[in-house]
Amino acid sequence: MASSVRFDPCFLVASILLYYVIGLLATAHNVPQAQLTPYKGQHLMKVSIGTPPVDIYGLTDTGSSLVWTRCPCDVCYNKIHPKFNPKKSCTYSEISCQSEQCHLLLDEAACSPQNICNFNTGYASGLSKGVLAKEKVTITSTSGQAVSFDIAFGCAHNDSFYFDAMGIFGLGPGPSSFVSQVGCKRFSYCLLPYGTDPSITSKISFGNGSEVVGDGVVSTPLIVTKDLPSYYYVTLEGISVGDTYVPFNSSGKVSKGNTFIDSGTPQFGLPLDFYDRLVVEVKKQISIDPIKDDSLLGTRLCYRTEITNENGPILTIHFEGADVKLKPMQTFNRPLKEYEYYCFGITSTANSDLASWDGLGIYGNYFQANLLIGYDLETMMVSFKPTDCTKQ
């Protein structure tokens, strides 16, 4: 009797992916790259997960280090996007409490009665709980080929994260982040301005070939601390409104690493004293009267007329060794589409959902728009290049 051979679809898919990865690595000009889609003030990174691969859209977040996606859940805020079903993937495997990946989560990990590593992580916008697992993540390259990585990720079964994304791609410097797990020492992205048509996309690139180079590039040192290893800190010395310089501290002295770069937070948050002094100067240089006593806006600086290059000042963000110039379209936005309000994108960290960071600056994604931003974790520098991100 002839022996029977069972067809294994997982083996076939894995073999095809391996073939593509080998071909990709053999040609250095191919750069792993994922699509970024603007969505309600955030930027969603498109990847495929599992075998067979399923597309998911996760929030692009340099301000955290865990990668997680929504799985079939007991309690979930999100009702729009489909969820990743691990039972339909033949490369999904849960991680035990004794594994190195579980230990990398530090205080976010816990052990279930079944010896499975659980995660419980919080953000300003909600909580996420679930199981830590290992899975295959696939993105494309600049040549259109597929490249896959095996990573540890959170399969969320319970969350109160009030955003419509399917999860979060933590890109911080912590050991559980996407960039750390794939061994990536460089990555760069180009974020689209707030309000861009969602049909327009931009890119995030990883590894060699993602460097930010050429005319107009400015760079500032990155600082990663042992106490808070999930954040990319830089030193913000001050901000110029037109030709008027406003220092970070009234004394003129600044601490190294007083600001962190967070692509997952829309606002540019500043300590109250710095914010107040900056707003006084912005008001001086805009001849239009701001909106007053509007309960919808609170204390935000807003106008009923659009702020443009003609009636608004250029802001120059003075990082250590790097001056980043921003036009009014990058510093003022229209937060409520149904109202003709145009609001300053910088806020105070005091008395807001950023209050736990008061004393620090948070360089959010509104002010990162139309800049090609590159992180080099070997030289510990972050670079900025003015770029039309709609053409990336």
Side-chain angles (χ1 to χ4, degrees):
M1 182 182 294
S3 61
S4 61
V5 178
R6 186 174 67 88
F7 174 70
D8 187 346
C10 274
F11 176 78
L12 176 61
V13 173
S15 298
I16 293 172
L17 288 174
L18 179 61
Y19 170 79
Y20 278 125
V21 170
I22 292 173
L24 177 70
L25 296 178
T27 53
H29 69 276
N30 285 302
V31 180
Q33 196 172 73
Q35 174 183 292
L36 294 180
T37 301
Y39 185 76
K40 294 184 179 180
Q42 297 288 0
H43 302 268
L44 304 184
M45 177 176 160
K46 178 186 176 182
V47 305
S48 298
I49 188 170
T51 308
V54 176
D55 288 346
I56 64 171
Y57 294 82
L59 190 153
T60 308
D61 189 15
T62 59
S64 67
S65 287
L66 181 66
V67 177
W68 64 268
T69 188
R70 286 183 165 114
C71 293
C73 51
D74 303 318
V75 179
C76 283
Y77 171 82
N78 180 276
K79 303 294 183 183
I80 299 175
H81 294 292
K83 298 169 180 63
F84 173 66
N85 189 346
K87 293 182 179 179
K88 294 184 177 180
S89 172
C90 56
T91 46
Y92 174 89
S93 61
E94 295 179 342
I95 291 174
S96 73
C97 297
Q98 287 72 39
S99 70
E100 180 182 0
Q101 291 99 328
C102 188
H103 295 155
L104 288 178
L105 285 176
L106 302 174
D107 57 341
E108 294 181 349
C111 195
S112 75
Q114 295 76 32
N115 197 39
I116 299 299
C117 186
N118 289 341
F119 76 94
N120 183 352
T121 187
Y123 306 85
S125 51
L127 300 172
S128 180
K129 303 177 183 179
V131 173
L132 195 69
K134 190 174 182 181
E135 187 53 285
K136 188 176 295 295
V137 170
T138 304
I139 60 177
T140 56
S141 72
T142 48
S143 68
Q145 294 177 327
V147 57
S148 297
F149 308 94
D150 290 326
I151 69 166
F153 82 110
C155 194
H157 298 293
N158 187 328
D159 78 79
S160 60
F161 186 67
Y162 60 86
F163 191 71
D164 292 332
M166 296 171 69
I168 292 182
F169 278 90
L171 300 173
S176 61
S177 79
F178 182 79
V179 293
S180 296
Q181 290 196 65
V182 303
C184 175
K185 293 297 182 181
R186 299 174 186 85
F187 69 98
S188 61
Y189 55 73
C190 206
L191 302 184
L192 294 161
Y194 179 79
T196 300
D197 188 327
S199 67
I200 300 173
T201 61
S202 58
K203 301 292 183 184
I204 181 169
S205 304
F206 300 94
N208 293 335
S210 65
E211 299 88 351
V212 175
V213 295
D215 294 339
V217 174
V218 295
S219 302
T220 189
L222 272 176
I223 300 168
V224 176
T225 69
K226 292 182 179 180
D227 294 336
L228 293 168
S230 293
Y231 302 98
Y232 297 111
Y233 291 94
V234 292
T235 302
L236 175 60
E237 296 174 341
I239 297 175
S240 288
V241 184
D243 295 328
T244 303
Y245 179 73
V246 183
F248 189 95
N249 288 325
S250 299
S251 66
K253 297 179 181 179
V254 295
S255 301
K256 295 288 186 180
N258 61 5
T259 298
F260 66 91
I261 306 176
D262 189 355
S263 64
T265 294
Q267 304 96 330
F268 191 170
L270 295 176
L272 183 59
D273 173 67
F274 185 16
Y275 170 78
D276 285 344
R277 288 183 285 110
L278 185 68
V279 166
V280 167
E281 191 57 41
V282 171
K283 286 180 179 179
K284 283 182 183 178
Q285 298 195 29
I286 298 177
S287 58
I288 306 164
D289 289 333
I291 299 171
K292 298 179 180 179
D293 302 322
D294 190 309
S295 59
L296 279 174
L297 302 174
T299 59
R300 294 190 68 179
L301 174 61
C302 300
Y303 297 85
R304 287 193 170 87
T305 302
E306 184 174 4
I307 307 302
T308 66
N309 294 346
E310 286 68 40
N311 60 13
I314 298 289
L315 263 63
T316 304
I317 314 301
H318 299 286
F319 296 114
E320 179 185 357
D323 290 344
V324 178
K325 292 185 179 296
L326 300 175
K327 298 177 181 178
M329 71 167 292
Q330 294 164 286
T331 58
F332 281 84
N333 58 69
R334 190 176 170 186
L336 299 170
K337 294 299 181 184
E338 60 270 31
Y339 295 96
E340 290 289 331
Y341 292 162
Y342 300 88
C343 297
F344 193 37
I346 294 182
T347 62
S348 166
T349 52
N351 302 318
S352 72
D353 57 0
L354 306 176
S356 60
W357 299 105
D358 196 28
L360 291 173
I362 304 172
Y363 186 57
N365 65 44
Y366 285 163
F367 281 55
Q368 297 178 43
N370 276 344
L371 292 167
L372 181 59
I373 302 178
Y375 299 73
D376 191 322
L377 305 183
E378 286 186 337
T379 62
M380 293 304 291
M381 300 289 287
V382 59
S383 300
F384 306 86
K385 182 179 182 179
T387 305
D388 184 351
C389 294
T390 64
K391 298 179 180 178
Q392 286 292 298

